[in-house]
Amino acid sequence: MPAQAAAAPSSPSRAAAASGAGYWHTDGRRILDAQNQPVRMAGVNWFGFETANYVAHGLWSRDYRSMIDQMKTLGYNTIRLPYSDDIFKGTQPNGITYANGLNTDLQGLNSLQVMDKIVDYAGSVGLKVVLDRHRPDSSAQSALWYTSAVPETTWIADLEALAARYQGNTAVIGIDLHNEPHDPACWGCGDTSTDWRLAAERAGNAVLSVNPSLLIFVEGVQTVNGQSNWWGGNLAGVATAPVRLSVANRIVYSAHDYATSVAQQPWFNDPSFPANMPAIWDKNWGYIFKQNIAPVWLGEFGTTLQSTVDQKWLAALVDYLRPTSTYGADSFNWTFWSWNPDSGDTGGILKDDWQTVDTVKDGYLAGIKAPGFAGGGGGGGGDTTAPSTPTGLAVTGTTASSVALSWNASTDDTGVAGYEVYRGTAKVGQVTGTSFTDPGLTAGTRYDYAVRARDAAGNTSPASASVTATTAGTGGGSSGCKATYKVSSDWGSGFNADITVTNTGSSTTKSWQVTWEWPGNQTISAMWNASYSQVGRSVTASNADHNGAIAAGASTGFGFGAAPGGAGTPVLSCRAG
């Protein structure tokens, strides 16, 4: 499994980081802040309030502020916070630890009061929150927005209560009215008991009657005109029956999309996959953005990334959502499912220890992350000054399996809290001092490193100048290898390719490395079964942990997604260790 590995991500400019102030509104397909600056939501789902714990998960092992700080440090700027209507019954959260000084200010609070704390802290450090009515109660998801136990009147009353509760707190920029409506929910059929479009109008207008400044997020359904998609992922009905709200420029349409780790779908078996996917996304929800009808927010998408199909799906989807470096905020908005590792069919950005980052998943998303927003609940304030860029990064020693680094200390107006060390774009360490040793590496292999400084408010410096280190040793004693290149799909704006590496030596390799130079301005967005770095047009791909050993005469392979298409076949060089 790959971790993206180009240059370490740079810090957004202070001017860009100041966007997001106040309440937001829409203008065609864009979301604008109170100063009419365009913003891009790029975040994570942090679930738990909708479960029988009645609180965001993971607080049994982490402080909630530490969790939010880590989200910000990784470059996420929005939290989608699912809940059920149970939390309006005075529920007491369970699954929070108070040991060792963690979460002490949450003791004795009910679920809504804990939500207040999470919202306030997220806003203070520059993250926005979308509240997601995920379920009527904590027991299960519902196809419709109401059940016999939780009628529509309760649903709307609770939405109004949330709108009133966070009135004036611009950390909460909107409400997702109901999660994943699906059959028998319809769009535009006119039956008030099943027409989700009409229900969304009733609920959205009720919210706006309490706080006319909120954004109203409306998901799709499952089936429109006999054509089915993911639950909540079919917005084809918007073309002829848009949601009509009492306040202009408040609607944001939201889709969900998943890979095979959630469920098999016919489009994954199409011979042209993944080149067929953009047309499917266009039909179901992408057209709303592309025709400038309204902003589109991909509220959920995720995968375990265990299969090659899922890896190709995510690479293609990230490309479809439009890289921030190319399009800025004129892009699809998104929140990845999920931050939590305990989502059974997708896993999360965090691994099972609730601390370690899955650098593979996080790496896929690097190109579509976006600058954070103004702190202090969206109205400015707080520390927004980043530390100075670390200088003097140097390799102080190498072994066959490790690289030692050191650098000069950075400065900051309130003090440097620590340093983040990157191998390519994969963050491999976080230290408070100015030295770090990266263990567990492959002998005779080149690695690129950079360092960023971080202060207590979560501001991070630009990346240092990078350095290159090559571990000692020669590996397996093989004399060489060859690599062959094949484009598996090319849809113009991007393409996928597969590379086969064959051991041409007389003994088993321990490692291998393939290098090439693009003939044009192609950029890799994701790679599977290898790690890589790209500097300008030059690409270096190195084996993953599981496929460095190739028997004499045998082969292994890896693949990647890149853009734009039409790259032709580059000349490959292969070196085995």
Side-chain angles (χ1 to χ4, degrees):
M1 294 294 180
Q4 271 196 324
S10 60
S11 174
S13 67
R14 290 177 60 189
S19 69
Y23 282 114
W24 297 355
H25 59 282
T26 69
D27 179 18
R29 69 190 190 183
R30 300 186 303 165
I31 299 176
L32 307 179
D33 69 8
Q35 306 302 318
N36 289 318
Q37 296 185 84
V39 295
R40 183 181 202 184
M41 300 161 57
V44 290
N45 285 268
W46 186 13
F47 68 80
F49 277 102
E50 83 284 14
T51 72
N53 294 109
Y54 307 118
V55 72
H57 283 181
L59 302 187
W60 48 72
S61 62
R62 296 275 301 276
D63 186 274
Y64 72 97
R65 288 160 295 202
S66 168
M67 204 93 77
I68 294 169
D69 286 343
Q70 189 178 23
M71 295 175 192
K72 178 176 180 178
T73 297
L74 289 171
Y76 300 104
N77 65 23
T78 305
I79 303 172
R80 181 174 181 257
L81 206 59
Y83 71 88
S84 82
D85 292 75
D86 282 351
I87 67 171
F88 296 93
K89 302 175 181 177
T91 52
Q92 295 297 311
N94 59 84
I96 303 178
T97 183
Y98 306 109
N100 302 313
L102 300 178
N103 301 305
T104 54
D105 59 336
L106 303 185
Q107 286 186 280
L109 302 184
N110 65 32
S111 295
L112 277 171
Q113 291 167 334
V114 174
M115 182 179 282
D116 294 342
K117 290 283 191 179
I118 289 175
V119 165
D120 287 344
Y121 187 76
S124 74
V125 299
L127 273 67
K128 297 296 187 180
V129 176
V130 176
L131 302 174
D132 157 45
R133 195 281 192 143
H134 209 73
R135 299 173 174 174
D137 58 55
S138 63
S139 63
Q141 177 65 29
S142 63
L144 300 173
W145 54 96
Y146 62 91
T147 63
S148 58
V150 184
E152 179 174 306
T153 53
T154 300
W155 170 55
I156 291 179
D158 290 344
L159 289 170
E160 291 175 325
L162 276 185
R165 188 178 192 90
Y166 295 110
Q167 177 90 39
N169 186 340
T170 56
V172 176
I173 47 88
I175 300 177
D176 187 343
L177 298 178
H178 178 62
N179 185 67
E180 295 186 347
H182 55 278
D183 296 346
C186 62
W187 189 289
C189 65
D191 182 343
T192 55
S193 66
T194 57
D195 191 333
W196 167 236
R197 177 250 196 162
L198 295 179
E201 291 177 348
R202 295 191 294 270
N205 287 328
V207 169
L208 293 172
S209 72
V210 176
N211 184 351
S213 296
L214 288 174
L215 295 176
I216 303 299
F217 295 88
V218 178
E219 297 184 29
V221 292
Q222 179 183 358
T223 305
V224 177
N225 295 326
Q227 299 296 310
S228 293
N229 192 35
W230 296 103
W231 288 1
N234 193 334
L235 285 158
V238 172
T240 55
V243 172
R244 302 157 297 186
L245 297 177
S246 57
V247 180
N249 302 319
R250 294 294 182 271
I251 183 72
V252 178
Y253 292 104
S254 176
H256 291 184
D257 203 90
Y258 280 101
T260 63
S261 67
V262 174
Q264 183 60 249
Q265 299 282 5
W267 45 84
F268 296 125
N269 295 321
D270 189 304
S272 66
F273 176 84
N276 62 318
M277 294 308 302
I280 292 171
W281 296 322
D282 281 349
K283 180 181 71 173
N284 284 291
W285 44 271
Y287 76 95
I288 297 172
F289 173 86
K290 293 185 176 182
Q291 295 178 19
N292 203 37
I293 296 170
V296 175
W297 175 48
L298 193 59
E300 291 184 19
F301 63 107
T303 166
T304 59
L305 279 181
Q306 293 302 302
S307 74
T308 300
V309 169
D310 286 21
Q311 294 159 12
K312 292 182 178 182
W313 166 84
L314 185 54
L317 180 57
V318 165
D319 179 67
Y320 183 84
L321 295 178
R322 298 165 66 99
T324 304
S325 61
T326 303
Y327 298 100
D330 185 24
S331 303
F332 292 93
N333 300 279
W334 57 272
T335 43
F336 188 77
W337 187 276
S338 62
W339 177 251
N340 310 44
D342 56 337
S343 178
D345 49 11
T346 66
I349 295 297
L350 294 185
K351 295 188 176 182
D352 288 344
D353 63 2
W354 285 93
Q355 293 273 356
T356 306
V357 175
D358 186 329
T359 55
V360 178
K361 288 184 181 177
D362 185 61
Y364 273 97
L365 303 174
I368 55 172
K369 292 180 183 178
F373 306 119
D383 177 15
T384 60
T385 302
S388 65
T389 304
T391 61
L393 178 63
V395 178
T396 57
T398 60
T399 69
S401 61
S402 68
V403 171
L405 305 165
S406 69
W407 55 91
N408 299 326
S410 296
T411 59
D412 183 68
D413 58 339
T414 60
V416 174
Y419 299 88
E420 299 168 358
V421 182
Y422 290 83
R423 185 195 319 129
T425 55
K427 187 168 77 171
V428 293
Q430 188 165 302
V431 294
T432 56
T434 57
S435 62
F436 175 77
T437 298
D438 187 18
L441 304 178
T442 302
T445 303
R446 168 183 161 164
Y447 296 95
D448 298 314
Y449 293 93
V451 178
R452 297 172 69 181
R454 175 180 49 81
D455 65 16
N459 301 302
T460 52
S461 73
S464 68
S466 63
V467 296
T468 298
T470 301
T471 49
T474 58
S478 172
S479 61
C481 58
K482 69 176 182 179
T484 56
Y485 181 98
K486 180 182 179 181
V487 174
S488 56
S489 58
D490 191 326
W491 54 95
S493 61
F495 69 100
N496 288 322
D498 297 306
I499 293 179
T500 301
V501 180
T502 302
N503 180 0
T504 58
S506 58
S507 59
T508 301
T509 66
K510 289 187 177 179
S511 63
W512 48 262
Q513 191 173 82
V514 179
T515 59
W516 69 89
E517 186 167 302
W518 292 120
N521 62 341
Q522 283 72 30
T523 301
I524 292 180
S525 57
M527 185 174 287
W528 43 94
N529 295 321
S531 61
Y532 76 96
S533 64
Q534 180 170 349
V535 179
R537 296 184 178 185
S538 299
V539 179
T540 300
S542 302
N543 62 274
D545 290 342
H546 66 275
N547 63 1
I550 310 174
S555 301
T556 190
F558 64 96
F560 62 85
T569 301
V571 177
L572 306 182
S573 298
C574 187
R575 179 178 65 85

